[in-house]
């Protein structure tokens, strides 16, 4: 379920987006800039695992990410929404509002595998997400990762499809999803 998250975009161009969270829960600001080197990346979401994977995503996708949260408690859905909003605005500036865009990637490290697909379809639902977990035993995606992805696809206004297989622990789940997510984003950026 998507909670009420509002992200306000301050500046945007084909290479840069600056936005802030309007909700009182987290008090976040983001600057995503393709003109600057990823070495200037500074991520502080109050969650070590989210900080690590967003920093790695910025490095691999080739942009500078400055994401600061003022509150002491992590807000995974709010962070995802703000990040998705900034990326969505850059894609809108680059490709136009009314264009079909799709990126898909598969990742496997032997312990966990994932497929991540992003699409903006003019006739389909925007900001929706499908998650499928496959494997021998029933399990659910970790709540924190799911909250981040729900906020991300709602902010970006894209449809997101995630398939996870052979998940054995939380770290492999995050690693697998963010690796395939990064490759999908690189294809459309």
């Amino acid at each position: 379920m998507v909670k009420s998250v509002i992200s306000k975009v301050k500046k945007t161009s084909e290479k840069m987006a600056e936005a802030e969270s309007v909700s009182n829960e987290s008090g976040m600001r983001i600057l995503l800039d393709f003109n600057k080197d990823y070495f200037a990346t500074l991520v502080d979401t109050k969650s070590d695992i989210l900080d690590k994977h967003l920093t790695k995503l910025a490095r691999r996708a080739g942009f500078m990410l400055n994401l600061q949260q003022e509150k002491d408690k992590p807000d995974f859905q709010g962070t995802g929404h703000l990040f998705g909003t900034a990326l969505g605005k850059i894609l809108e500036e680059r490709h136009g509002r009314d264009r079909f865009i799709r990126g898909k990637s598969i990742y496997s490290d032997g312990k966990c595998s994932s497929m991540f697909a992003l699409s903006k379809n003019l006739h389909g639902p925007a900001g929706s997400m499908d998650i499928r977990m496959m494997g021998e035993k029933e399990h659910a995606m970790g709540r924190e990762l799911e909250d981040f992805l729900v906020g991300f696809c709602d902010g970006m206004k894209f449809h997101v499809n995630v398939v996870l297989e052979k998940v054995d622990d939380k770290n492999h789940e995050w690693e697998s999803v963010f690796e395939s997510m990064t490759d999908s984003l690189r294809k459309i950026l």
Side-chain angles (χ1 to χ4, degrees):
M1 182 173 128
V2 179
K3 65 181 180 181
S4 178
V5 180
I6 301 170
S7 298
K8 179 181 167 189
V9 177
K10 294 168 127 183
K11 295 182 204 171
T12 187
S13 72
E14 287 185 17
K15 298 242 181 209
M16 185 270 303
E18 186 177 351
E20 64 184 14
S21 174
V22 181
S23 71
N24 292 330
E25 278 186 45
S26 53
M28 286 183 278
R29 288 184 300 284
I30 189 169
L31 174 62
L32 199 150
D33 196 337
F34 283 87
N35 293 317
K36 296 185 179 170
D37 198 276
Y38 67 85
F39 288 113
T41 291
L42 178 60
V43 178
D44 182 13
T45 64
K46 310 303 184 213
S47 165
D48 292 340
I49 196 163
L50 187 55
D51 292 352
K52 170 188 164 185
H53 289 291
L54 284 173
T55 301
K56 191 173 177 182
L57 186 151
R59 178 178 53 83
R60 289 195 56 228
F63 58 81
M64 187 274 296
L65 175 64
N66 189 332
L67 177 60
Q68 299 293 311
Q69 180 172 311
E70 295 169 2
K71 305 282 182 176
D72 292 334
K73 189 175 127 185
D75 177 2
F76 292 92
Q77 199 170 99
T79 302
H81 192 276
L82 193 61
F83 183 63
T85 298
L87 270 177
K89 289 298 178 184
I90 289 174
L91 287 169
E92 195 176 288
E93 290 285 335
R94 286 185 180 191
H95 302 294
R97 179 174 280 162
D98 301 324
R99 181 161 175 238
F100 176 77
I101 303 169
R102 183 168 192 258
K104 178 180 176 182
S105 181
I106 297 172
Y107 171 81
S108 179
D109 65 359
K111 296 179 182 176
C112 184
S113 60
S114 67
M115 185 275 300
F116 192 95
L118 290 162
S119 61
K120 183 172 186 177
N121 188 339
L122 302 179
H123 307 292
S128 62
M129 183 172 76
D130 292 325
I131 297 175
R132 278 186 281 153
M133 305 296 282
M134 303 173 78
E136 297 172 10
K137 57 184 178 187
E138 285 294 316
H139 58 280
M141 178 179 278
R143 187 78 204 151
E144 296 165 343
L145 179 57
E146 185 175 350
D147 282 351
F148 174 81
L149 292 172
V150 165
F152 175 75
C153 71
D154 184 56
M156 197 168 182
K157 304 296 184 226
F158 272 54
H159 176 74
V160 175
N161 188 7
V162 181
V163 178
L164 274 166
E165 201 172 354
K166 299 189 303 186
V167 177
D168 59 351
D169 70 20
K170 178 180 172 179
N171 290 329
H172 285 118
E173 181 179 81
W174 279 80
E175 184 77 27
S176 184
V177 168
F178 266 84
E179 287 292 331
S180 57
M181 179 182 180
T182 301
D183 289 343
S184 294
L185 288 171
R186 288 174 67 191
K187 290 177 181 177
I188 63 174
L189 289 170

